[in-house]
Protein backbone atom coordinates (compact mmCIF):
# COMPACT_ATOMS: atom_id res chain seq x y z
CA UNK A 1 0.00 0.00 0.00
CA UNK A 2 1.26 3.45 -0.90
CA UNK A 3 2.34 5.49 2.11
CA UNK A 4 0.29 8.54 3.17
CA UNK A 5 3.28 10.71 2.23
CA UNK A 6 3.26 9.42 -1.37
CA UNK A 7 -0.48 9.86 -1.68
CA UNK A 8 -0.23 13.38 -0.25
CA UNK A 9 2.29 14.34 -2.93
CA UNK A 10 -0.07 13.09 -5.64
CA UNK A 11 -3.06 14.81 -4.08
CA UNK A 12 -1.17 18.08 -3.75
CA UNK A 13 -1.03 18.38 -7.52
CA UNK A 14 -4.80 18.76 -7.43
CA UNK A 15 -4.77 21.73 -5.07
CA UNK A 16 -5.50 25.26 -6.17
CA UNK A 17 -2.91 27.72 -4.95
CA UNK A 18 -5.37 30.51 -4.19
CA UNK A 19 -8.33 30.71 -1.83
CA UNK A 20 -11.57 28.91 -2.67
CA UNK A 21 -14.60 30.46 -4.27
CA UNK A 22 -17.55 28.68 -5.83
CA UNK A 23 -17.49 27.86 -9.53
CA UNK A 24 -19.77 29.63 -11.95
CA UNK A 25 -22.42 27.33 -13.44
CA UNK A 26 -22.13 26.53 -17.14
CA UNK A 27 -24.17 25.11 -20.02
CA UNK A 28 -22.32 22.86 -22.46
CA UNK A 29 -23.58 22.45 -26.03
CA UNK A 30 -24.44 18.82 -26.74
CA UNK A 31 -26.21 17.44 -29.83
CA UNK A 32 -25.02 13.83 -29.76
CA UNK A 33 -27.58 11.04 -29.86
CA UNK A 34 -25.52 8.74 -27.64
CA UNK A 35 -24.62 8.82 -23.96
CA UNK A 36 -21.01 9.10 -22.85
CA UNK A 37 -18.73 9.45 -19.84
CA UNK A 38 -17.71 12.96 -18.81
CA UNK A 39 -15.58 14.57 -16.07
CA UNK A 40 -16.06 17.69 -13.97
CA UNK A 41 -13.97 19.41 -11.30
CA UNK A 42 -15.38 19.45 -7.78
CA UNK A 43 -13.62 22.04 -5.64
CA UNK A 44 -14.03 20.88 -2.05
CA UNK A 45 -15.90 23.42 0.11
CA UNK A 46 -14.34 21.92 3.24
CA UNK A 47 -12.01 19.18 4.42
CA UNK A 48 -13.49 15.80 3.57
CA UNK A 49 -12.70 12.20 2.62
CA UNK A 50 -12.69 10.39 -0.70
CA UNK A 51 -15.49 8.17 0.59
CA UNK A 52 -17.70 11.21 1.30
CA UNK A 53 -17.13 12.48 -2.24
CA UNK A 54 -17.98 9.04 -3.64
CA UNK A 55 -21.27 8.97 -1.75
CA UNK A 56 -22.16 12.60 -2.56
CA UNK A 57 -21.88 11.93 -6.30
CA UNK A 58 -23.49 8.46 -6.10
CA UNK A 59 -20.42 6.71 -7.51
CA UNK A 60 -20.58 2.92 -7.28
CA UNK A 61 -17.00 2.50 -6.15
CA UNK A 62 -13.93 4.48 -5.16
CA UNK A 63 -11.98 3.17 -8.15
CA UNK A 64 -13.76 5.55 -10.52
CA UNK A 65 -12.51 8.60 -8.58
CA UNK A 66 -9.00 7.15 -8.27
CA UNK A 67 -8.89 6.45 -12.01
CA UNK A 68 -10.13 9.90 -13.04
CA UNK A 69 -7.46 11.51 -10.85
CA UNK A 70 -4.73 8.95 -11.62
CA UNK A 71 -4.32 8.10 -7.93
CA UNK A 72 -2.96 4.76 -6.65
CA UNK A 73 -5.54 1.98 -6.30
CA UNK A 74 -4.26 1.50 -2.76
CA UNK A 75 -5.48 4.97 -1.71
CA UNK A 76 -7.83 4.32 1.24
CA UNK A 77 -11.45 5.56 1.17
CA UNK A 78 -10.95 7.49 4.42
CA UNK A 79 -8.06 9.50 2.96
CA UNK A 80 -8.70 13.13 3.90
CA UNK A 81 -8.49 15.97 1.39
CA UNK A 82 -8.20 19.63 2.42
CA UNK A 83 -10.64 22.33 1.37
CA UNK A 84 -10.03 23.91 -2.08
CA UNK A 85 -8.77 20.61 -3.54
CA UNK A 86 -10.10 20.14 -7.07
CA UNK A 87 -11.16 16.51 -7.52
CA UNK A 88 -12.16 15.19 -10.95
CA UNK A 89 -15.58 13.50 -10.84
CA UNK A 90 -16.51 10.99 -13.59
CA UNK A 91 -20.21 10.63 -14.46
CA UNK A 92 -22.55 9.58 -17.29
CA UNK A 93 -23.72 12.35 -19.64
CA UNK A 94 -26.90 12.64 -21.72
CA UNK A 95 -27.73 15.24 -24.39
CA UNK A 96 -31.22 16.77 -24.49
CA UNK A 97 -32.45 19.89 -26.28
CA UNK A 98 -28.96 20.87 -27.40
CA UNK A 99 -27.33 20.75 -23.96
CA UNK A 100 -25.64 18.05 -21.89
CA UNK A 101 -26.57 17.11 -18.33
CA UNK A 102 -25.51 14.29 -16.01
CA UNK A 103 -27.81 11.34 -16.64
CA UNK A 104 -30.05 11.51 -13.52
CA UNK A 105 -27.00 11.56 -11.27
CA UNK A 106 -26.11 12.54 -8.65
CA UNK A 107 -29.29 12.34 -6.59
CA UNK A 108 -28.99 14.42 -3.42
CA UNK A 109 -31.07 13.79 -0.29
CA UNK A 110 -32.24 16.98 1.43
CA UNK A 111 -31.22 17.32 5.09
CA UNK A 112 -32.36 19.68 7.84
CA UNK A 113 -31.73 23.41 7.18
CA UNK A 114 -31.04 22.78 3.49
CA UNK A 115 -32.13 25.26 0.83
CA UNK A 116 -31.69 25.10 -2.94
CA UNK A 117 -29.17 27.93 -2.94
CA UNK A 118 -27.13 26.28 -0.18
CA UNK A 119 -27.18 22.92 -1.99
CA UNK A 120 -26.06 24.49 -5.28
CA UNK A 121 -23.51 27.02 -4.03
CA UNK A 122 -22.07 25.27 -0.98
CA UNK A 123 -22.67 21.52 -1.13
CA UNK A 124 -21.88 21.24 -4.87
CA UNK A 125 -19.53 24.26 -5.03
CA UNK A 126 -21.49 26.13 -7.68
CA UNK A 127 -21.35 23.38 -10.33
CA UNK A 128 -25.03 24.17 -10.84
CA UNK A 129 -27.30 27.08 -9.92
CA UNK A 130 -30.27 26.70 -7.64
CA UNK A 131 -32.49 27.62 -10.61
CA UNK A 132 -31.11 24.64 -12.57
CA UNK A 133 -31.84 22.30 -9.67
CA UNK A 134 -35.33 23.78 -9.38
CA UNK A 135 -36.04 23.31 -13.10
CA UNK A 136 -34.56 19.82 -13.29
CA UNK A 137 -36.76 18.63 -10.41
CA UNK A 138 -39.93 20.51 -11.43
CA UNK A 139 -40.06 22.46 -8.16
CA UNK A 140 -42.65 25.23 -8.37
CA UNK A 141 -41.45 27.10 -5.28
CA UNK A 142 -37.70 27.16 -4.57
CA UNK A 143 -38.42 27.76 -0.89
CA UNK A 144 -40.47 24.60 -0.51
CA UNK A 145 -38.27 21.51 -0.25
CA UNK A 146 -38.57 18.87 2.44
CA UNK A 147 -36.15 16.78 4.47
CA UNK A 148 -35.60 13.44 2.75
CA UNK A 149 -36.57 14.77 -0.69
CA UNK A 150 -34.44 13.46 -3.56
CA UNK A 151 -33.01 16.09 -5.90
CA UNK A 152 -31.31 15.47 -9.22
CA UNK A 153 -28.19 17.66 -9.56
CA UNK A 154 -27.79 18.28 -13.33
CA UNK A 155 -24.03 18.60 -13.86
CA UNK A 156 -22.87 20.23 -17.14
CA UNK A 157 -21.33 17.96 -19.80
CA UNK A 158 -21.17 17.09 -23.49
CA UNK A 159 -20.84 14.02 -25.72
CA UNK A 160 -20.14 15.83 -29.01
CA UNK A 161 -17.16 15.10 -31.24
CA UNK A 162 -14.68 17.96 -31.53
CA UNK A 163 -12.95 18.67 -34.84
CA UNK A 164 -14.03 15.26 -36.09
CA UNK A 165 -12.59 13.34 -33.13
CA UNK A 166 -14.21 11.63 -30.18
CA UNK A 167 -13.07 13.23 -26.94
CA UNK A 168 -13.74 13.18 -23.21
CA UNK A 169 -15.38 16.47 -22.23
CA UNK A 170 -13.90 17.85 -19.01
CA UNK A 171 -15.63 20.57 -17.01
CA UNK A 172 -12.55 22.41 -15.78
CA UNK A 173 -13.07 24.92 -12.97
CA UNK A 174 -10.78 27.78 -13.97
CA UNK A 175 -8.22 28.77 -11.27
CA UNK A 176 -7.47 32.45 -10.76
CA UNK A 177 -4.74 33.91 -13.01
CA UNK A 178 -5.36 31.25 -15.68
CA UNK A 179 -5.30 32.04 -19.39
CA UNK A 180 -6.88 30.39 -22.42
CA UNK A 181 -3.38 29.89 -23.83
CA UNK A 182 -2.16 28.18 -20.66
CA UNK A 183 -5.21 25.90 -20.37
CA UNK A 184 -4.97 24.95 -24.05
CA UNK A 185 -1.30 24.03 -23.64
CA UNK A 186 -1.89 22.11 -20.40
CA UNK A 187 -4.65 19.92 -21.83
CA UNK A 188 -3.41 19.48 -25.38
CA UNK A 189 -5.99 21.48 -27.29
CA UNK A 190 -6.07 24.83 -29.12
CA UNK A 191 -7.13 28.29 -28.02
CA UNK A 192 -9.56 28.53 -30.93
CA UNK A 193 -11.22 25.26 -29.92
CA UNK A 194 -11.68 26.40 -26.32
CA UNK A 195 -13.11 29.74 -27.39
CA UNK A 196 -15.52 28.12 -29.86
CA UNK A 197 -16.76 25.41 -27.50
CA UNK A 198 -17.36 27.85 -24.68
CA UNK A 199 -18.84 30.70 -26.69
CA UNK A 200 -16.05 33.11 -25.78
CA UNK A 201 -15.38 35.96 -28.18
CA UNK A 202 -11.90 36.64 -26.82
CA UNK A 203 -9.36 35.12 -24.42
CA UNK A 204 -10.03 38.15 -22.24
CA UNK A 205 -13.55 36.83 -21.59
CA UNK A 206 -12.21 33.93 -19.49
CA UNK A 207 -13.31 34.26 -15.86
CA UNK A 208 -11.85 32.66 -12.75
CA UNK A 209 -14.04 29.93 -11.19
CA UNK A 210 -16.04 29.49 -14.40
CA UNK A 211 -16.52 25.96 -15.73
CA UNK A 212 -14.72 25.57 -19.04
CA UNK A 213 -15.57 22.80 -21.50
CA UNK A 214 -12.14 21.28 -22.23
CA UNK A 215 -11.98 18.42 -24.81
CA UNK A 216 -9.48 15.80 -23.67
CA UNK A 217 -7.91 13.62 -26.34
CA UNK A 218 -8.58 9.91 -25.78
CA UNK A 219 -6.20 7.05 -26.46
CA UNK A 220 -6.74 4.97 -29.59
CA UNK A 221 -8.37 1.62 -28.84
CA UNK A 222 -9.27 -1.56 -30.72
CA UNK A 223 -12.71 -1.87 -29.07
CA UNK A 224 -15.21 -3.28 -31.55
CA UNK A 225 -18.45 -1.56 -32.50
CA UNK A 226 -20.50 -4.44 -31.07
CA UNK A 227 -18.78 -4.26 -27.66
CA UNK A 228 -20.92 -3.31 -24.67
CA UNK A 229 -18.43 -0.57 -23.74
CA UNK A 230 -18.08 0.98 -27.20
CA UNK A 231 -16.86 3.68 -27.50
CA UNK A 232 -14.33 3.25 -24.71
CA UNK A 233 -12.89 6.76 -24.30
CA UNK A 234 -10.04 7.07 -21.81
CA UNK A 235 -8.34 10.45 -21.51
CA UNK A 236 -4.61 10.99 -21.07
CA UNK A 237 -3.48 10.51 -17.47
CA UNK A 238 -6.54 8.49 -16.42
CA UNK A 239 -7.54 4.84 -16.09
CA UNK A 240 -10.88 3.02 -16.06
CA UNK A 241 -12.27 -0.41 -15.26
CA UNK A 242 -14.38 -2.14 -17.88
CA UNK A 243 -15.60 -5.59 -18.94
CA UNK A 244 -17.57 -5.95 -15.68
CA UNK A 245 -14.46 -4.99 -13.63
CA UNK A 246 -12.35 -7.71 -15.27
CA UNK A 247 -10.15 -5.33 -17.30
CA UNK A 248 -8.31 -2.12 -16.42
CA UNK A 249 -7.37 0.27 -19.23
CA UNK A 250 -5.15 3.32 -18.94
CA UNK A 251 -4.19 6.12 -21.31
CA UNK A 252 -0.71 7.60 -21.38
CA UNK A 253 0.44 9.91 -24.16
CA UNK A 254 3.96 8.50 -23.68
CA UNK A 255 2.70 5.19 -25.13
CA UNK A 256 1.90 6.73 -28.53
CA UNK A 257 -1.68 7.45 -27.43
CA UNK A 258 -2.48 3.74 -27.52
CA UNK A 259 -4.81 2.33 -24.87
CA UNK A 260 -3.03 -0.09 -22.53
CA UNK A 261 -5.28 -2.76 -20.98
CA UNK A 262 -4.65 -5.68 -18.63
CA UNK A 263 -6.68 -8.20 -16.59
CA UNK A 264 -7.61 -7.34 -12.99
CA UNK A 265 -7.97 -9.43 -9.86
CA UNK A 266 -11.34 -7.86 -8.98
CA UNK A 267 -14.65 -9.66 -8.59
CA UNK A 268 -16.74 -9.41 -11.72
CA UNK A 269 -20.08 -7.60 -11.67
CA UNK A 270 -21.38 -9.85 -14.46
CA UNK A 271 -19.76 -13.27 -14.18
CA UNK A 272 -18.93 -15.66 -11.32
CA UNK A 273 -15.34 -15.42 -12.46
CA UNK A 274 -13.74 -13.35 -15.20
CA UNK A 275 -13.60 -15.06 -18.63
CA UNK A 276 -10.34 -15.86 -20.40
CA UNK A 277 -8.37 -12.93 -21.79
CA UNK A 278 -6.14 -15.07 -24.03
CA UNK A 279 -5.69 -13.99 -27.65
CA UNK A 280 -6.97 -16.57 -30.15
CA UNK A 281 -4.31 -18.18 -32.26
CA UNK A 282 -1.52 -17.13 -29.91
CA UNK A 283 -0.40 -19.70 -27.38
CA UNK A 284 0.36 -18.36 -23.92
CA UNK A 285 -0.43 -14.79 -25.03
CA UNK A 286 -2.98 -13.07 -22.82
CA UNK A 287 -4.26 -9.52 -22.62
CA UNK A 288 -1.39 -7.08 -22.04
CA UNK A 289 1.32 -9.52 -23.21
CA UNK A 290 3.50 -8.93 -26.27
CA UNK A 291 6.24 -10.69 -28.24
CA UNK A 292 9.07 -9.10 -30.20
CA UNK A 293 11.10 -10.18 -33.21
CA UNK A 294 13.67 -7.66 -34.30
CA UNK A 295 11.91 -4.35 -34.85
CA UNK A 296 8.47 -5.95 -34.93
CA UNK A 297 6.22 -6.44 -31.91
CA UNK A 298 2.84 -8.17 -31.59
CA UNK A 299 0.58 -7.36 -28.65
CA UNK A 300 -2.53 -9.04 -27.26
CA UNK A 301 -4.96 -6.10 -27.09
CA UNK A 302 -8.39 -5.51 -25.56
CA UNK A 303 -11.21 -5.42 -28.14
CA UNK A 304 -14.28 -5.16 -25.90
CA UNK A 305 -16.71 -7.57 -24.25
CA UNK A 306 -20.16 -9.15 -24.64
CA UNK A 307 -22.46 -10.92 -22.20
CA UNK A 308 -20.53 -14.12 -22.81
CA UNK A 309 -16.89 -13.24 -23.30
CA UNK A 310 -14.01 -10.76 -23.25
CA UNK A 311 -12.79 -9.91 -26.75
CA UNK A 312 -9.11 -9.67 -27.64
CA UNK A 313 -7.11 -9.20 -30.83
CA UNK A 314 -3.48 -9.44 -31.94
CA UNK A 315 -2.00 -6.11 -33.04
CA UNK A 316 1.36 -5.96 -34.89
CA UNK A 317 3.46 -2.80 -34.76
CA UNK A 318 6.95 -1.62 -35.67
CA UNK A 319 9.28 -0.51 -32.89
CA UNK A 320 12.12 0.51 -35.20
CA UNK A 321 13.55 3.98 -34.55
CA UNK A 322 12.64 6.51 -37.20
CA UNK A 323 16.34 7.06 -37.98
CA UNK A 324 16.77 3.35 -38.68
CA UNK A 325 13.78 3.35 -40.99
CA UNK A 326 15.18 6.39 -42.82
CA UNK A 327 18.65 4.88 -43.20
CA UNK A 328 17.09 1.70 -44.60
CA UNK A 329 15.09 3.72 -47.11
CA UNK A 330 18.19 5.70 -48.13
CA UNK A 331 20.21 2.49 -48.54
CA UNK A 332 17.48 0.97 -50.70
CA UNK A 333 17.29 4.07 -52.88
CA UNK A 334 21.11 4.10 -53.27
CA UNK A 335 21.05 0.42 -54.31
CA UNK A 336 18.42 1.15 -56.94
CA UNK A 337 20.46 4.00 -58.46
CA UNK A 338 23.61 1.85 -58.46
CA UNK A 339 21.77 -0.91 -60.26
CA UNK A 340 20.46 1.48 -62.88
CA UNK A 341 23.97 2.92 -63.40
CA UNK A 342 25.44 -0.55 -63.96
CA UNK A 343 22.69 -1.46 -66.42
CA UNK A 344 23.29 1.80 -68.30
CA UNK A 345 27.02 1.02 -68.69
CA UNK A 346 26.27 -2.53 -69.87
CA UNK A 347 23.92 -1.07 -72.45
CA UNK A 348 26.66 1.28 -73.73
CA UNK A 349 29.17 -1.59 -73.95
CA UNK A 350 26.74 -3.68 -75.96
CA UNK A 351 26.21 -0.82 -78.43
CA UNK A 352 29.98 -0.23 -78.87
CA UNK A 353 30.43 -3.93 -79.64
CA UNK A 354 28.27 -3.65 -82.75
CA UNK A 355 29.68 -0.32 -84.01
Amino acid sequence: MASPAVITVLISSLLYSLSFSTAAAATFRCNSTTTCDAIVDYVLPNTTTLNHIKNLFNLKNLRSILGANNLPLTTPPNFTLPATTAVKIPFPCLCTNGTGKSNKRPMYTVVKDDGLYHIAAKVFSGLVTFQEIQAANNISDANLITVGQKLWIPLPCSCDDVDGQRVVHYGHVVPAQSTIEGIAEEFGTSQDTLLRLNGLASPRDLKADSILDVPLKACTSMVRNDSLDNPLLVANGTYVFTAANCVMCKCDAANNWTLQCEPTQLNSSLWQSCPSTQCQGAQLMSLGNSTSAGCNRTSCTYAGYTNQTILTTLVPESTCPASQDNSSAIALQSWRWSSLWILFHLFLLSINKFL
Side-chain angles (χ1 to χ4, degrees), residues 3 8 20 36 55 100 123 207 211 225 250 274:
S3 67
T8 299
F20 164 78
C36 69
N55 293 334
V123 178
K207 296 180 180 179
I211 306 172
N225 291 334
K250 60 183 178 180
C274 291

Side-chain angles (χ1 to χ4, degrees), residues 102-120:
S102 52
N103 194 5
K104 297 301 179 182
R105 287 166 53 184
M107 297 297 294
Y108 175 76
T109 303
V110 177
V111 299
K112 185 181 178 182
D113 298 327
D114 261 345
L116 287 187
Y117 176 81
H118 171 78
I119 294 169

Side-chain angles (χ1 to χ4, degrees), residues 8-279:
T8 299
V9 170
L10 290 166
I11 292 289
S12 65
S13 65
L14 305 173
L15 290 173
Y16 284 124
S17 60
L18 299 180
S19 59
F20 164 78
S21 60
T22 57
T27 299
F28 290 2
R29 292 194 298 270
C30 188
N31 296 293
S32 177
T33 58
T34 61
T35 58
C36 69
D37 292 323
I39 300 173
V40 71
D41 278 338
Y42 176 53
V43 182
L44 301 187
N46 46 51
T47 299
T48 189
T49 65
L50 287 174
N51 195 56
H52 175 80
I53 300 170
K54 176 184 78 71
N55 293 334
L56 179 64
F57 286 91
N58 304 158
L59 300 175
K60 291 183 179 180
N61 52 65
L62 189 67
R63 295 189 299 274
S64 56
I65 294 181
L66 300 180
N69 293 276
N70 203 24
L71 294 171
L73 275 174
T74 52
T75 306
N78 62 350
F79 189 80
T80 301
L81 302 169
T84 76
T85 303
V87 180
K88 294 182 179 69
I89 305 296
F91 62 93
C93 179
L94 176 67
C95 303
T96 54
N97 300 321
T99 62
K101 301 293 182 185
S102 52
N103 194 5
K104 297 301 179 182
R105 287 166 53 184
M107 297 297 294
Y108 175 76
T109 303
V110 177
V111 299
K112 185 181 178 182
D113 298 327
D114 261 345
L116 287 187
Y117 176 81
H118 171 78
I119 294 169
K122 302 302 180 182
V123 178
F124 287 95
S125 299
L127 290 176
V128 293
T129 63
F130 80 87
Q131 294 94 336
E132 288 173 327
I133 299 177
Q134 181 180 357
N137 294 277
N138 298 314
I139 299 172
S140 57
D141 189 339
N143 296 312
L144 295 179
I145 59 173
T146 58
V147 173
Q149 185 176 352
K150 303 287 187 180
L151 299 176
W152 166 34
I153 309 300
L155 305 174
C157 59
S158 180
C159 296
D160 289 353
D161 293 353
V162 176
D163 298 329
Q165 291 186 333
R166 284 180 166 174
V167 298
V168 178
H169 286 265
Y170 165 40
H172 176 55
V173 177
V174 178
Q177 309 302 318
S178 293
T179 64
I180 285 289
E181 180 182 8
I183 294 173
E185 183 176 354
E186 180 180 359
F187 296 107
T189 185
S190 71
Q191 297 184 61
D192 289 342
T193 296
L194 291 180
L195 294 174
R196 184 179 74 253
L197 282 183
N198 294 278
L200 300 176
S202 165
R204 293 188 297 273
D205 294 333
L206 182 68
K207 296 180 180 179
D209 304 315
S210 62
I211 306 172
L212 201 68
D213 183 359
V214 178
L216 302 179
K217 182 178 178 180
C219 271
T220 302
S221 76
M222 301 299 295
V223 173
R224 293 175 6 181
N225 291 334
D226 60 345
S227 173
L228 293 177
D229 57 0
N230 179 70
L232 181 61
L233 300 178
V234 186
N236 181 35
T238 69
Y239 62 85
V240 300
F241 288 83
T242 187
N245 294 331
C246 292
V247 174
M248 184 182 79
C249 296
K250 60 183 178 180
C251 177
D252 186 349
N255 289 321
N256 296 320
W257 290 96
T258 301
L259 197 64
Q260 307 291 314
C261 300
E262 61 185 31
T264 72
Q265 302 299 318
L266 301 175
N267 293 326
S268 173
S269 59
L270 180 62
W271 303 289
Q272 263 193 327
S273 60
C274 291
S276 170
T277 57
Q278 183 175 343
C279 268

Side-chain angles (χ1 to χ4, degrees), residues 268-310:
S268 173
S269 59
L270 180 62
W271 303 289
Q272 263 193 327
S273 60
C274 291
S276 170
T277 57
Q278 183 175 343
C279 268
Q280 293 184 357
Q283 291 186 348
L284 303 179
M285 274 195 72
S286 293
L287 181 62
N289 296 152
S290 62
T291 58
S292 298
C295 281
N296 298 314
R297 181 172 66 187
T298 301
S299 302
C300 183
T301 304
Y302 178 68
Y305 78 104
T306 66
N307 286 326
Q308 292 79 34
T309 186
I310 293 177

